[in-house]
């Protein structure tokens, strides 16, 4: 029969199809196929927008834990998140200068890091492995971190999710905190899918519990400078890896640093789209406590396929709050010399943007789009107003807050004023009416935006908060006790639809880059998730092969 006659051809076709699927599974990334971001579940729970969530932290010896917080040692705890119990988590205090500042203030309102997988590697809160609870220290606006992460995400840069939480401890009120998605495994899965790259947190600082690796401020490796080809020359990168790295991974990253330093094609070492988007938002908010400041820290480095990108972290001292009393200097910070703690060439991850006219033009184009879509459109002002209205009642009842209600209101007004004047300055720098470099501004100071009436300290700054008169109300036990806890009945909730804070539509002419795999501000995730694409391909390949073998066996038996 003809069917028997062609059985060998059928088997060959099945085998060829199986081989093609297998190659796609194994070599998909090198062929330009990207793993899709994955929906894990926590995104629409703890980080659902427009509300203050609740977390009750339960520990047997809370007071004893507070006494040892500066050691940054994990202890067992349980949490109830929006009414859902999560057992056997780990918690420690976190922070660099903020950790030591809390202790110096004679206060115990620490920031915390929660690990759901610390004691059980499979532990998670709907897929979330790490969570930070930020105490809003040195930030009278109570929204600097929140605003920056939202701006980053809205502009297409990868950024952690965040939301406000009303924190209680063993049922007793503790205060309003900002919950921030940890930049670790769950973050990578959400943004890059299951086939993501490697993550590092370069740091040579040693504050608080001494989690830095030493080497002083701004070691060459933390500045992302190429030293040589020896991995041992980059201890502050590789010793702070957040993913398991191999010798090949280290070689690949060092090769990227070499190109970053000027030896090769920058497109072979940097995710151009993502890094420029990051530096646009980062530069606008003037954060000296960062890669571009004197401390050279507070950033994550992501590497995939030899391409490097920057991820944002810790912006409570943004908007000129870090070691500056120069309001005009912050508002008019030059966008083309964005390094405030050294020279531009000292920071190669920023310097490459200005080495070619093409990249500088793209940077300016993105800056203009950022201003028009998120600042000049009223999007940012509306977000600030809605957020302030949402959290104000909680701040009023917060027993451990770092600022008074009046200071909060003044801080929010100053934040909006800063953004307005900063927008005016950057727009002027883009159109040439205001110099965009440090030298140019020093030669033409009369062109700068007037900053009369704006005081950066109104928004909070280093050395502020926690002292006498800092807003604390204590009962006889020494623990804060508000007169009335915020409830669903007396707290305004920012309902979806009142203000649309989804990212504005991008201009048709904007390059797409890799934005298809980056998180939107409020991503609408597929219920199937994209992180299982690799396993799906493997199972499909195996299924086709099995079907082909059964087909062949059946026909051979019929012969």
């Amino acid at each position: 029969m003809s069917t028997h006659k062609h059985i060998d051809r059928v088997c060959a076709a099945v085998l060829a199809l199986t081989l093609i699927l297998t190659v796609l599974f194994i070599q998909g990334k090198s062929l330009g196929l990207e793993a899709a971001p994955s929906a894990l579940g926590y995104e629409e729970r703890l980080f659902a927008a427009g509300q203050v969530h609740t977390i009750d932290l339960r520990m047997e010896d809370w007071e004893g834990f507070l006494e040892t917080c500066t050691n940054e040692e994990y202890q067992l705890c349980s949490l109830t998140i929006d009414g859902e119990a999560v057992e056997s988590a780990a918690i420690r205090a976190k922070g660099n200068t903020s950790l030591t500042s809390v202790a110096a203030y004679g206060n115990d309102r620490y920031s915390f890091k929660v690990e759901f997988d610390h004691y059980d590697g499979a532990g998670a809160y709907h897929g979330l492995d790490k969570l930070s609870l930020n105490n809003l220290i040195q930030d009278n606006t109570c929204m600097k971190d929140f605003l920056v992460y939202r701006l980053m995400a809205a502009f297409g840069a990868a950024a952690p999710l965040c939301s406000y939480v009303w924190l209680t401890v063993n049922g007793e009120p503790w205060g309003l905190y900002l919950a921030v998605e940890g930049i670790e495994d769950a973050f990578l899965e959400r943004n890059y899918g299951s086939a993501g790259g490697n993550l590092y947190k370069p740091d040579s600082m040693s504050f608080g519990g001494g989690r830095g690796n030493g080497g002083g401020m701004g070691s060459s490796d933390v500045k992302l400078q190429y030293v040589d080809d020896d991995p041992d020359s980059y201890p502050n990168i590789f010793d702070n890896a957040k993913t398991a790295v191999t010798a090949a991974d280290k070689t690949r990253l060092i090769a990227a640093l070499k190109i970053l330093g000027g030896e090769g094609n920058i497109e072979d070492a940097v995710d151009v789209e993502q890094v420029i988007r990051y530096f646009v938002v980062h530069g606008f908010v003037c954060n000296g406590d960062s890669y571009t400041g004197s401390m050279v820290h507070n950033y994550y480095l992501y590497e995939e396929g030899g391409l490097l990108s920057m991820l944002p972290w810790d912006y409570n001292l943004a908007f000129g709050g870090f070691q500056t009393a120069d309001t005009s200097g912050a508002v008019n910070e030059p966008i083309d010399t964005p390094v405030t703690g050294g020279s531009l060439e000292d920071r190669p991850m920023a310097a490459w943007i200005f080495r070619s006219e093409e990249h500088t033009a793209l940077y300016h184009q993105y800056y203009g789009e950022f201003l028009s879509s998120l600042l000049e459109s009223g999007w940012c002002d509306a977000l600030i107003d809605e957020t302030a209205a949402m959290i104000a009642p909680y701040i009023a009842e917060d027993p451990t807050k770092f600022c008074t209600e009046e200071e909060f209101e003044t801080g929010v007004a100053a934040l909006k004023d800063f953004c307005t004047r900063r927008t005016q300055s950057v727009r002027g720098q883009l159109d040439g009416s205001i110099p965009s470099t440090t030298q140019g501004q020093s030669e033409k100071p009369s062109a700068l935006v007037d900053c009369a009436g704006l005081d950066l300290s109104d928004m909070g700054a280093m050395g502020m908060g926690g002292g006498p008169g800092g807003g604390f109300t204590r009962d006889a036990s020494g623990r804060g006790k508000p007169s009335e806890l915020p409830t669903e009945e007396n707290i305004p909730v920012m309902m979806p639809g009142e203000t649309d804070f989804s990212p504005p539509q991008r201009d048709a002419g904007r390059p797409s880059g890799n934005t298809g795999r980056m998180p939107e501000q409020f991503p609408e995730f597929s219920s199937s998730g994209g992180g299982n694409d690799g396993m799906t391909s493997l199972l499909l390949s195996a299924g086709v092969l099995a079907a082909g073998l059964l087909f062949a066996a059946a026909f051979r038996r019929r012969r």
Side-chain angles (χ1 to χ4, degrees):
M1 295 177 63
S2 61
T3 304
H4 294 169
K5 181 171 61 176
H6 297 294
I7 184 64
D8 290 337
R9 295 181 181 178
V10 171
C11 292
V14 170
L15 180 59
L17 178 60
T18 303
L19 290 173
I20 291 172
L21 290 172
T22 302
V23 169
L24 290 176
F25 167 69
I26 297 174
Q27 297 293 336
K29 186 181 297 185
S30 64
L31 296 175
L33 301 178
E34 295 288 347
S38 176
L40 303 177
Y42 65 87
E43 305 95 329
E44 301 301 330
R45 290 178 170 83
L46 177 57
F47 297 112
Q51 68 184 92
V52 175
H53 298 263
T54 61
I55 294 181
D56 182 46
L57 176 64
R58 301 185 303 281
M59 292 186 71
E60 291 186 1
D61 185 14
W62 176 248
E63 296 296 335
F65 168 71
L66 292 176
E67 291 175 359
T68 61
C69 268
T70 55
N71 296 333
E72 295 186 271
E73 295 177 353
Y74 282 103
Q75 293 194 28
L76 179 67
C77 73
S78 298
L79 302 94
T80 300
I81 302 175
D82 288 335
E84 179 182 352
V86 182
E87 304 296 335
S88 301
I91 187 172
R92 67 168 174 86
K94 64 173 285 287
N96 284 331
T97 56
S98 62
L99 179 63
T100 54
S101 294
V102 170
Y105 295 153
N107 179 21
D108 48 21
R109 181 187 167 110
Y110 293 98
S111 290
F112 304 109
K113 182 174 183 179
V114 176
E115 292 194 350
F116 297 104
D117 60 351
H118 187 83
Y119 298 111
D120 177 3
Y125 168 74
H126 295 284
L128 180 65
D129 55 338
K130 308 291 192 301
L131 174 69
S132 289
L133 296 172
N134 291 351
N135 62 358
L136 308 176
I137 194 171
Q138 298 169 335
D139 179 11
N140 290 352
T141 74
C142 298
M143 66 174 80
K144 288 183 179 180
D145 266 324
F146 173 83
L147 182 59
V148 174
Y149 293 144
R150 293 287 297 273
L151 286 169
M152 286 276 185
F155 195 56
L161 300 174
C162 61
S163 65
Y164 288 96
V165 298
W166 180 250
L167 182 64
T168 57
V169 178
N170 295 324
E172 294 295 318
W174 189 255
L176 182 71
Y177 275 64
L178 185 69
V180 181
E181 173 190 24
I183 299 185
E184 296 199 33
D185 292 345
F187 174 92
L188 295 179
E189 174 78 9
R190 180 177 67 83
N191 286 280
Y192 307 107
S194 58
N198 292 312
L199 181 68
Y200 307 86
K201 192 173 188 293
D203 200 345
S204 59
M205 304 300 300
S206 182
F207 291 117
R211 289 181 176 268
N213 288 319
M217 292 188 294
S219 298
S220 57
D221 52 352
V222 176
K223 293 177 180 177
L224 303 182
Q225 296 175 352
Y226 172 74
V227 179
D228 54 37
D229 292 335
D230 185 357
D232 290 340
S233 298
Y234 308 88
N236 296 302
I237 296 178
F238 296 126
D239 290 352
N240 289 316
K242 298 298 181 180
T243 51
V245 297
T246 65
D249 294 329
K250 295 179 180 181
T251 298
R252 191 170 59 249
L253 188 145
I254 292 172
L257 294 182
K258 189 172 185 178
I259 296 174
L260 194 66
E263 298 185 28
N265 184 1
I266 198 65
E267 281 80 7
D268 294 332
V270 171
D271 186 334
V272 171
E273 171 90 5
Q274 283 299 303
V275 172
I276 291 182
R277 291 187 184 280
Y278 166 87
F279 275 116
V280 163
V281 183
H282 175 82
F284 180 85
V285 301
C286 304
N287 184 31
D289 191 21
S290 66
Y291 175 77
T292 54
S294 60
M295 309 294 272
V296 200
H297 67 162
N298 283 338
Y299 71 93
Y300 284 83
L301 182 69
Y302 179 70
E303 179 273 324
E304 182 176 357
L307 298 182
L308 305 178
S309 57
M310 302 280 280
L311 299 173
W313 192 250
D314 196 353
Y315 281 82
N316 72 304
L317 291 173
F319 304 95
F322 181 76
Q323 293 183 333
T324 177
D326 182 6
T327 301
S328 179
V331 167
N332 294 288
E333 188 173 289
I335 63 173
D336 289 344
T337 47
V339 174
T340 60
S343 67
L344 179 60
E345 287 303 319
D346 197 43
R347 311 297 154 79
M349 184 58 88
W352 68 266
I353 297 174
F354 307 98
R355 291 186 192 138
S356 79
E357 293 182 1
E358 176 187 359
H359 293 137
T360 304
L362 185 62
Y363 170 71
H364 288 168
Q365 175 192 332
Y366 282 6
Y367 235 130
E369 293 173 356
F370 171 73
L371 295 182
S372 61
S373 63
L374 298 178
L375 277 302
E376 294 164 340
S377 66
W379 185 95
C380 185
D381 274 354
L383 176 59
I384 293 173
D385 288 340
E386 294 282 359
T387 304
M390 183 179 70
I391 67 176
Y394 290 88
I395 292 173
E397 301 298 333
D398 190 329
T400 61
K401 55 181 174 283
F402 287 115
C403 66
T404 65
E405 295 171 69
E406 293 76 15
E407 289 169 335
F408 165 69
E409 294 172 358
T410 300
V412 170
L415 177 62
K416 292 181 65 177
D417 190 7
F418 179 94
C419 290
T420 298
R421 301 195 203 205
R422 178 68 175 150
T423 299
Q424 181 183 352
S425 175
V426 174
R427 180 59 74 187
Q429 294 182 50
L430 291 173
D431 66 27
S433 60
I434 297 176
S436 60
T437 65
T438 302
Q439 180 178 346
Q441 291 190 0
S442 65
E443 295 172 352
K444 193 179 179 182
S446 60
L448 304 182
V449 169
D450 182 21
C451 295
L454 175 61
D455 186 346
L456 296 181
S457 65
D458 285 342
M459 292 184 284
M462 287 191 68
M464 296 182 64
F472 294 94
T473 55
R474 301 283 182 171
D475 61 15
S477 68
R479 183 65 57 233
K481 190 74 173 179
S483 58
E484 179 184 10
L485 292 179
T487 65
E488 293 183 0
E489 288 73 24
N490 61 21
I491 296 301
V493 177
M494 186 168 61
M495 300 302 295
E498 287 185 16
T499 302
D500 182 10
F501 291 123
S502 58
Q505 293 294 317
R506 289 177 181 159
D507 296 336
R510 178 180 297 179
S512 59
N514 294 325
T515 53
R517 61 186 173 88
M518 304 312 297
E520 295 294 348
Q521 187 171 4
F522 295 114
E524 296 202 2
F525 298 94
S526 165
S527 59
S528 63
N532 296 321
D533 286 354
M535 183 58 67
T536 300
S537 299
L538 180 61
L539 292 175
L540 180 60
S541 178
V544 171
L545 179 59
L549 292 174
L550 290 173
F551 181 79
F555 272 98
R556 288 192 178 279
R557 282 198 301 269
R558 289 175 60 183
R559 280 177 138 178

